[in-house]
Structures are given as C-alpha cells and as structure tokens.
Amino acid sequence: MTALTSLPAWQDFERRAAALRDFDLRAAFAADPGRAERYSAAACGILLDHSKNLIDDAGWAALFELARACGVEARREAMFRGERINATERRAVLHTALRAPRGSRIEVEGHEVVAEVHATLDRLYRFADSVREGEWLGYDGRPVRDVVNIGIGGSDLGPYMACEALKDYATPQLRCHFVSSVDGWQLHHTLAALDPATTLFIVASKTFTTQETLTNARAARDWLTAAGGETAVARHFVAVSTNSQAVAAFGIDTANMFGFWDWVGGRYSLWSAIGLPIVLQIGPTRFAELLAGAHAMDCHFRETPMADNLPMLLGLLGVWYINGFGAASHLVSPYNQPLHRLPAYLQQLDMESNGKSVRLDGQPVDYRTGPLIWGEPGINGQHAYYQLLHQGTALIPADFIVALENPASPLGHHTILLANCLAQTEALMRGKSRAEAEAELRDQGLDEAAIAALAPHKVFVGNRPTNTLLLDRIDPATLGSLIALYEHKVFVQSAIWGVNAYDQWGVELGKQLARTIEAELRGDKDGATGHDASTRRLLEYCRQALRR
Ligand code: F6P
C-alpha cells in the first residue's frame, strides 16, 4: 500500500463511493428541493452547478476529509509561497506570480520575483504597443500586418486558445497565426498568404531546443531573408524563451527577446511573455484584465473554504469518479465557439501534469491518476459522440461550459445554444425509462409488437454526471479566471495523488528515439540493428519512400 491508500480517509472515501454506486440522481433531486442551490458555488464570473453528480453530503464530507488528510491546503500554500514543490526538477511553481499585482512580494529562496515579472510585462507592453500602433516597421518601412507564432505545446496551445477565445477584442490591424507542427505543410500554407515585409515572427520556446520549433523557425527565417536579406531578421524576428544563449546562437538579437523563468512550466506559461500573441491581438490593457481574472481565481482558491472553492470542488469530483467509480476519461464540452481550443489546451494542462504513475516519494501508485481529457465544442459533439455519453457503457463525467452573454451571436442563435447545453445535462441526468419510452411509442401509434421491439433501444439509463459552468461572458477577465480554475483543479488532484504535476519526463523517450531514427532515415546511421522487428520494417518502408 502507498502512503495514500493506507490513509483511513482514503479508505473511508472508497467506502463512501462504493456505497453510492447505485445513487439515483432523479430520486436525489426529488427528495431534496434545495440540492441545486446547495451544490452550487460561484466566483469570478463563473457559476458552478455541480448538483448533477453522483454524490451526497456524506460523500462530500469524505472528499473534504481526504483533501485535509492529504495536506492539499498546506501544499497549496507551499506553491503560492514559492517553495520548490517541483521536486524532480528542483524548481518553484509560480505561474501565480505572473499574475500577482504590481507591488506585491513573492520570493523564491530570498529573491523577490514580482518586480521582475512587471518589468518584463512593461517591456512586452511597450513592444506590443509599437507593433499595434504601426510604429514597428518592417524591412521596407511598412508596419506589421501578420504575426506568426512558432512554438509547440505550452508555447502554442495557451496563446492560440486565448487568441481564439478573445477574437471579439482583437485589433483589426493585425492577424495572428500559429504554426506548431513540424509538418512543413502548416508553415507553407500559413506563409503562402503572407507578405514577408509585413510579417512578424515570434519564436516561442521555453528551452529553445525544441526540434519542431527550431526547424520551423529556420524555414521561416529562410523565407524572410530570401525576400528581405539577412538584415531583415532584426525587424521581423522576436524570441520568447528562458534560454538567451540559444536565442543568440539562433541569430535573434537578445534585445528582441522576452524572457521568463524556470519556475514557470511550459503549460502554465500563457501569462508570461509566451502570451505575446495575445498582447498583440487584444492590447496590454485587455491582457492585464486576463491576468487580473486569473489572480482573482488565485485569491478565491487560496481563501475560500472547500465547500465553496471552485478548484477544490472540480478537483475532488474528479478524484471521486476516477478513484471511486473507475472513470478513465473526462469530457470538456464548451458550447461557445470562441472556446473551441479549450479542450486541446486542457489536454496538455491536465494530461502532461497528472499523467503520472510514480509518487513524489518514488513509489509506484496503486490507484488511478490523471484521466484522458477530451472534447470539442459541445454543439458539434452532440452530433458526433454524445450518443455514447447517453447510451454507451462507459461512465464519462463531463464539464459543460457556456457563457450567458454572447453579443456577437444573434439572440436567436444564442438562445438555441443555451437551450442545447441545458437540455443535454438534463437528459444525461434524467434519462428515459422503459415505461416512458413505451408510452412515447404508443402515442406515435405503434402496435404492441413494434413497441416491444423498439422500446429497449429508446431507453436512456440516465444518471450520467455533469458539471455546468455558466460564465457571465467570455471576456479577458473571465477567461483568465476559467483557465486558472482548471490549473488549480489539476493542482488539487496532484496533491491528493501525491504526484508531481510540474515535470514531464514521459515526453523524453520518444524524443530520444526520434533523433536516432531521423539519423537512420537520413542514412547517417545503420538502421538494421537496435530496433524491434516491427520498427525495423516500418523504417525500411519509410527509407524507400524517402529515396523515391
Ligand atoms: O515535449 C513537451 C514539452 O516539453 C512541453 O512541456 C512544452 O510545453 C513543449 O514541449 C514545448 O517546449 P518549449 O517551449 O521548450 O519549446
């Protein structure tokens, strides 16, 4: 047994969850008229209704006790204080310092960091203003029209997701593009429509060693210099990184580099200079609102008792289903189209953080950890995979996210969107009994034999758990709060499971092998040895294709 599973609070939680396996949500709502109100909490422009979950007061009490027994609150304070909670990399975890107000103080081993954060933000804002106001000129004297962010993972997903979400706040003078894949197709089609003289590249890489990003950056540089010459690089390339040496070695003047710090994880970095595309698109004032929204959620997380604490509630509900009910996945279903990249963003945030099977104490876990996170805009999901949610065999807890105000969508459209979001969570919870299905078919005039044949296919067992998150609107502040809510949800779960949410050693092996295979494909290295038979055969197919 691990330090977690030997805890009395864990065993009590397991017993409570087992006792509620047959929990009947319809009956729970019927028996308790106050359930929806009691099982709701609100903060930072987000109302969380978590009443449609397979849990009761005793279940919640067991979860809160588990959180206390695991020291979630003490670990939360250690994170906010700047302790090196990322033990395997010996780093503090301080994305929260990136949104701390000017003048506040946070120290990493005696070194105050908030002043540095704001000094970098000021530089970033000055640069963004000069681009947005048309003062930053390209090699032929024209202002920037297109911004291409070259980065991958945390250096792409956050800024891309936020730029899409905040399109309503975008300046019309600039268009932001994102190139992440080393498949040259993406860069080719992005550049095909652009003019090098009015294009600004942001090379975004925390480490500045990421092969995909550097390969794309070199190709973009060639494209630019073919038109504008070597001297154009200084006006058309900026870098965002923690590695100034590598930036200089690449040929970008470090005067055009915006830094951040090793205590910012890649998937937690959109609040840093990695957010430059967002600043360019919506401007410094709006970006500051995004930061303020995230900070408001930080304060809520730090100060609010567990029963009303949104990140605690979401994190603990995840543990309830993953460890108490064996759920293997979690659906994120945003209904507003601006949030269409949110599931992809949350995949990295959650799965790269909690996709771990070894505890901080080095012991293998003897329980499930991070789930598979997946999703699409909910309205599209309804016409694709919701069938499985309603009538499939897997238990898939889900977050339904929708904004109450939606000024860019005509009222008629918005009403339909809201209706669908609410209807789906109701249908998932309520289901349809055999008797209800039969009565419906009888009303349609079917004979009894047809009813008997068809009715089993029309039954919905219901009792499928969902959270509903109602956002006031999708503005920078609320988006900041929403993202920080999920960051802290991931934190809560990592603290329960005793895993380090802030390293990602699991991405390394594939990278190592890719380097060897690349050399073999190029013919620099003999590929016949060292591989299994399957990889050897596939390698040979690829080699032959490359020779053609
Ligand atoms: O391979 C995974 C990863 O290291 C992520 O954690 C990170 O966000 C991404 O690659 C990009 O890394 P970088 O910003 O250093 O290029």
Side-chain angles (χ1 to χ4, degrees):
M1 277 173 124
T2 55
L4 177 60
T5 48
S6 53
L7 283 176
W10 175 267
Q11 288 152 17
D12 185 47
F13 142 75
E14 285 194 316
R15 272 193 299 274
R16 284 310 315 162
L20 295 193
R21 290 272 158 70
D22 297 321
F23 188 78
D24 183 341
L25 266 171
R26 278 213 269 198
F29 276 107
D32 177 4
R35 182 177 171 91
E37 203 179 328
R38 274 190 310 115
Y39 286 3
S40 290
C44 312
I46 301 170
L47 170 76
L48 167 65
D49 177 337
H50 59 91
S51 62
K52 292 192 185 83
N53 280 294
L54 307 171
I55 193 164
D56 61 5
D57 289 353
W60 273 115
L63 282 175
F64 295 146
E65 196 43 46
L66 177 64
R68 278 188 284 273
C70 292
V72 175
E73 289 157 305
R75 192 163 167 81
R76 176 186 65 192
E77 285 318 294
M79 173 175 75
F80 276 99
R81 270 200 310 271
E83 286 177 29
R84 293 183 190 260
I85 64 163
N86 175 358
T88 57
E89 297 180 318
R90 293 198 25 76
R91 288 176 182 166
V93 174
L94 269 183
H95 43 281
T96 52
L98 298 171
R99 54 242 190 173
R102 201 183 286 275
S104 48
R105 287 185 65 81
I106 300 171
E107 291 184 1
V108 177
E109 302 205 333
H111 179 70
E112 203 291 303
V113 299
V114 179
E116 260 176 70
V117 165
H118 281 272
T120 305
L121 278 176
D122 289 342
R123 258 191 80 220
L124 201 69
Y125 291 171
R126 277 197 299 277
F127 173 71
D129 275 338
S130 73
V131 174
R132 283 165 58 85
E133 284 158 21
E135 290 159 5
W136 181 276
L137 303 177
Y139 64 79
D140 72 356
R142 281 184 289 156
V144 173
R145 289 281 302 139
D146 291 280
V147 176
V148 181
N149 187 82
I150 299 178
I152 196 164
S155 300
D156 166 75
L157 288 161
Y160 186 18
M161 177 271 292
C163 281
E164 288 295 289
L166 300 175
K167 254 192 186 149
D168 288 350
Y169 300 86
T171 178
Q173 298 98 275
L174 287 177
R175 289 177 298 237
C176 288
H177 312 265
F178 291 83
V179 172
S180 54
S181 175
V182 78
D183 184 341
W185 181 94
Q186 195 185 19
L187 185 67
H188 168 79
H189 282 287
T190 305
L191 298 185
L194 308 188
D195 178 348
T198 55
T199 299
L200 175 73
F201 291 98
I202 302 169
V203 185
S205 174
K206 179 177 170 182
T207 55
F208 228 78
T209 58
T210 304
Q211 190 187 34
E212 296 89 331
T213 299
L214 295 187
T215 304
N216 280 327
R218 274 185 222 106
R221 196 179 194 283
D222 291 346
W223 177 79
L224 172 79
T225 54
E230 275 299 317
T231 53
V233 173
R235 305 300 299 168
H236 292 266
F237 269 79
V238 298
V240 180
S241 185
T242 56
N243 186 349
S244 51
Q245 270 182 334
V247 169
F250 180 83
I252 297 178
D253 186 346
T254 47
N256 292 340
M257 171 185 157
F258 300 95
F260 57 114
W261 303 270
D262 72 353
W263 39 262
V264 182
R267 52 193 173 276
Y268 297 86
S269 66
L270 79 87
W271 323 100
S272 72
I274 289 290
L276 179 56
I278 316 169
V279 189
L280 286 165
Q281 184 182 285
I282 66 173
T285 307
R286 295 286 190 193
F287 188 76
E289 290 168 11
L290 180 86
L291 298 182
H295 177 68
M297 184 55 73
D298 294 341
C299 297
H300 166 81
F301 178 46
R302 216 171 168 184
E303 293 159 9
T304 311
M306 280 195 216
D308 292 312
N309 188 311
L310 302 189
M312 287 280 192
L313 292 168
L314 286 189
L316 291 173
L317 276 169
V319 169
W320 181 252
Y321 290 116
I322 294 160
N323 303 111
F325 287 69
S329 88
H330 185 94
L331 171 67
V332 180
S333 230
Y335 269 69
N336 299 74
Q337 198 58 24
L339 296 178
H340 74 104
R341 290 293 293 172
L342 184 69
Y345 170 78
L346 293 180
Q347 280 181 331
Q348 187 201 19
L349 178 68
D350 199 317
M351 292 161 79
E352 200 168 72
S353 296
N354 282 340
K356 310 283 165 65
S357 49
V358 173
R359 294 171 47 82
L360 274 159
D361 59 17
Q363 264 200 296
V365 298
D366 53 354
Y367 43 85
R368 280 176 189 266
T369 59
L372 170 69
I373 302 289
W374 60 289
E376 266 285 304
I379 206 86
N380 297 345
Q382 288 179 203
H383 296 275
Y385 47 74
Y386 274 37
Q387 163 65 37
L388 183 144
L389 299 185
H390 286 289
Q391 289 189 316
T393 51
L395 174 78
I396 303 176
D399 292 349
F400 281 65
I401 304 170
V402 71
L404 294 171
E405 288 176 22
N406 190 358
S409 181
L411 193 59
H413 290 235
H414 185 49
T415 309
I416 294 170
L417 189 81
L418 282 173
N420 273 277
C421 180
L422 299 190
Q424 288 296 330
T425 60
E426 185 174 35
L428 286 164
M429 183 276 287
R430 195 164 80 179
K432 191 185 282 178
S433 68
R434 174 79 183 234
E436 287 168 330
E438 286 177 355
E440 248 179 43
L441 293 170
R442 216 161 273 127
D443 284 349
Q444 290 162 20
L446 269 71
D447 62 39
E448 287 306 312
I451 291 172
L454 209 46
H457 302 279
K458 298 257 187 179
V459 170
F460 294 62
V461 286
N463 241 11
R464 311 268 156 138
T466 59
N467 293 310
T468 302
L469 289 96
L470 292 184
L471 314 184
D472 285 349
R473 63 193 70 80
I474 300 171
D475 60 8
T478 315
L479 182 71
S481 299
L482 182 70
I483 301 166
L485 164 57
Y486 278 101
E487 287 178 346
H488 296 319
K489 171 198 169 175
V490 167
F491 169 87
V492 168
Q493 296 187 336
S494 72
I496 300 272
W497 291 323
V499 298
N500 182 2
Y502 305 103
D503 62 13
Q504 56 284 321
W505 302 106
V507 302
E508 294 302 327
L509 179 58
K511 288 186 194 174
Q512 278 166 14
L513 295 182
R515 276 193 285 275
T516 310
I517 293 180
E518 185 194 340
E520 289 161 349
L521 283 174
R522 289 185 195 283
D524 304 344
K525 204 169 174 283
D526 177 17
T529 54
H531 294 293
D532 59 89
S534 161
T535 309
R536 235 181 4 250
R537 226 166 105 77
L538 295 169
L539 192 54
E540 199 40 46
Y541 277 115
C542 293
R543 257 186 177 156
Q544 283 171 18
L546 289 177
R547 278 192 219 115
R548 281 201 280 274

